[in-house]
Structures are given as structure tokens and as C-alpha cells.
Amino acid sequence: MTSPSSTRPGTTAPCPPTGTDPRLTPSPALRRRALGFQTAEEAVRFWMQHDERFHWAHRNAILSEKSDEAGYGYYKGGPWNHYWTLDMGRK
């Protein structure tokens, strides 16, 4: 994965398992984070259409049948200014 010290959107990094819904059975493989994208649409487009350098891991996780629920989070601030998280799991 690309280091958060990159200077362009499209950086992804592992997310800590905090803040997960206790009703879901989360999996680190089903948690995605995108840094630097101004909108959720840009982050999802990156995961679904421009994920070659990550061997399509983000796209495959999103399309996986291992989850039946998903939630997202957004934070504005910090060095990247925009942080998007997609957390998927099963009840």
C-alpha cells in the first residue's frame, strides 16, 4: 500500500478496528480507507476503477459476498484534508 506521506489523492492505508458497529462481524479485509478525495464519489470511483496498483483488492472487497452491510465515515481535517472509510461486514 502507498504510504500516507504521498502527495496525491489515491493513498490508502489500513484502518484500526475502532468504531465498528458491534452488531457486525467486521473483517480487516473488508475495511477500506481513502485519503485526499474531496467527495465520496471520487473515493468510490478510485476503489472501483483505478485500483490496479493494489491488485484490485479494494474493488474485490466491495464486490465480495462476504458482507451484506456497509457503512461509511468521513473526516475533514489533518494533512490530507479528506478521509473516507468504508466498513463492511455481516450481521
Side-chain angles (χ1 to χ4, degrees):
M1 291 193 170
T2 303
S3 164
S5 64
S6 285
T7 58
R8 61 189 171 101
T11 297
T12 61
C15 294
T18 58
T20 11
D21 186 329
R23 297 170 295 166
L24 298 177
T25 305
S27 166
L30 299 177
R31 187 172 296 121
R32 300 288 163 232
R33 186 170 75 176
L35 314 176
F37 295 101
Q38 291 186 12
T39 66
E41 181 181 353
E42 290 173 355
V44 172
R45 184 179 300 118
F46 168 76
W47 287 328
M48 299 304 287
Q49 297 178 356
H50 304 289
D51 197 31
E52 300 94 357
R53 69 180 172 185
F54 300 106
H55 307 285
W56 299 103
H58 299 92
R59 179 186 173 97
N60 291 341
I62 291 168
L63 297 175
S64 170
E65 295 179 8
K66 294 180 180 178
S67 65
D68 58 9
E69 295 203 356
Y72 71 93
Y74 173 73
Y75 173 75
K76 182 171 179 159
W80 283 95
N81 201 30
H82 302 281
Y83 297 80
W84 298 93
T85 302
L86 176 62
D87 195 7
M88 298 165 285
R90 283 195 170 285
K91 272 194 177 179

